[in-house]
Amino acid sequence: MIRTIAGRTALATSATLAFALAGLPLQALSQSDDASEERPTDALTGVVWAVSRVGPAPPATDQTVRFEPDGGLVASSGCADYTGIYSLDGAALTVDSMRREFGSLQDCTFGESGSADLFVNIIEDAESWSIADGGQLSIEGGGRREGWTLTLESAGPAEAADDTASVDGTSAEDVAGTWRLETMDLGVAGRATMPDEIEITLSLEPDGSLRGSGSCSEYAGGFTLIGQGAVSLEDVEATEAGTCEAELADLQQLYLGILPVIDTVELEDGSLVLGAAAISAELIYDPVD
């Protein structure tokens, strides 16, 4: 995936890049299909939902879910706390990028851990939601958890949160600015340092918008900080590329294919580090003076 020229790490040939592209999502280069997606409703947000039943049985631990208006989700299984991203399309509910923030199943007894694990699995495989006239929230599982239902009751209003900041203190203002990609780390696929002549940039704005250059064309989209260093990059689309060398075009396609699966953000020694756990990738940027 990488080679060394005159002591400096550079990108490999376009053929090698194309091989790496085969396993990566490239939806960033297509038109968004989410224009009709509904934003979270007032009925779902602003409330801490406490689980009253996991399938036919009451939960063995105190389990709660909170849906944020910005699309973030915070869940507690009673053994561990999780964050994620959710979207609604009418009665359909989709949950992505679930990650454990605190605790583990080992913090619960055997019986409690089974109930907690099932709770998390139903959330991850959520397929639909509904609120009954009595105010009960039902979340129906799909996939591996088809036929399972979480029943939840309101446990009171959620505390107001600063929607520009994550739980660990990283805010949109902290990451705002223009950043130049210095290193692309694809784990076992290779690690490449960008040569000086390749200019890939990312500009993050405090209002949650983003833009940048992919080396062949400009791109734009949005981002949401969710909590504990979690982030979602949304609706990333590139403008139509003009004349561009094949190797640079492959590099841009690879880079823009990674952005939609980015799920973590961190400031480390002055650098911006974006991570994608699903593909074991990291993008490391330095600030542009």
Side-chain angles (χ1 to χ4, degrees), residues 7-233:
R8 185 175 62 187
T9 304
L11 287 173
T13 62
S14 58
T16 305
L17 285 170
F19 177 79
L21 284 168
L24 291 176
L26 300 178
Q27 63 266 43
L29 297 178
S30 63
Q31 294 296 316
S32 171
D33 295 325
D34 298 334
S36 63
E37 183 178 300
E38 296 181 12
R39 296 302 300 167
T41 67
D42 291 341
L44 194 60
T45 61
V47 175
V48 175
W49 295 98
V51 177
S52 58
R53 302 193 77 78
V54 184
T61 59
D62 292 331
Q63 299 167 359
T64 61
V65 183
R66 188 174 80 244
F67 296 92
E68 303 288 1
D70 63 5
L73 175 151
V74 180
S76 175
S77 69
C79 303
D81 294 339
Y82 299 79
T83 59
I85 304 165
Y86 77 99
S87 61
L88 302 179
D89 186 359
L93 169 64
T94 302
V95 175
D96 294 308
S97 304
M98 282 281 284
R99 52 176 276 182
R100 181 168 53 84
E101 304 295 352
F102 299 107
S104 72
L105 293 180
Q106 295 176 348
D107 295 334
C108 288
T109 66
F110 178 78
E112 290 173 339
S113 64
S115 176
D117 190 44
L118 180 57
F119 159 75
V120 173
N121 288 335
I122 296 174
I123 291 290
E124 290 179 317
D125 292 336
E127 193 169 74
S128 64
W129 70 286
S130 62
I131 296 180
D133 291 340
Q136 282 187 334
L137 169 64
S138 295
I139 296 177
E140 303 287 341
R144 299 172 302 161
R145 302 300 167 185
E146 185 175 1
W148 286 88
T149 301
L150 283 180
T151 305
L152 307 95
E153 310 277 353
S154 172
E159 293 183 6
D162 180 356
D163 60 8
T164 66
S166 65
V167 176
D168 68 356
T170 302
S171 69
E173 286 76 13
D174 293 330
V175 299
T178 300
W179 306 85
R180 181 185 184 275
L181 182 67
E182 295 294 329
T183 303
M184 184 183 294
D185 188 347
L186 300 182
V188 295
R191 179 184 177 96
T193 299
M194 297 297 107
D196 292 340
E197 60 269 22
I198 294 181
E199 189 81 6
I200 296 178
T201 62
L202 171 66
S203 293
L204 301 174
E205 302 295 338
D207 64 1
S209 61
L210 66 84
R211 57 186 172 79
S213 170
S215 75
C216 285
S217 62
E218 303 298 310
Y219 66 92
F223 71 98
T224 302
L225 295 174
I226 299 166
Q228 294 296 312
V231 67
S232 168
L233 274 59

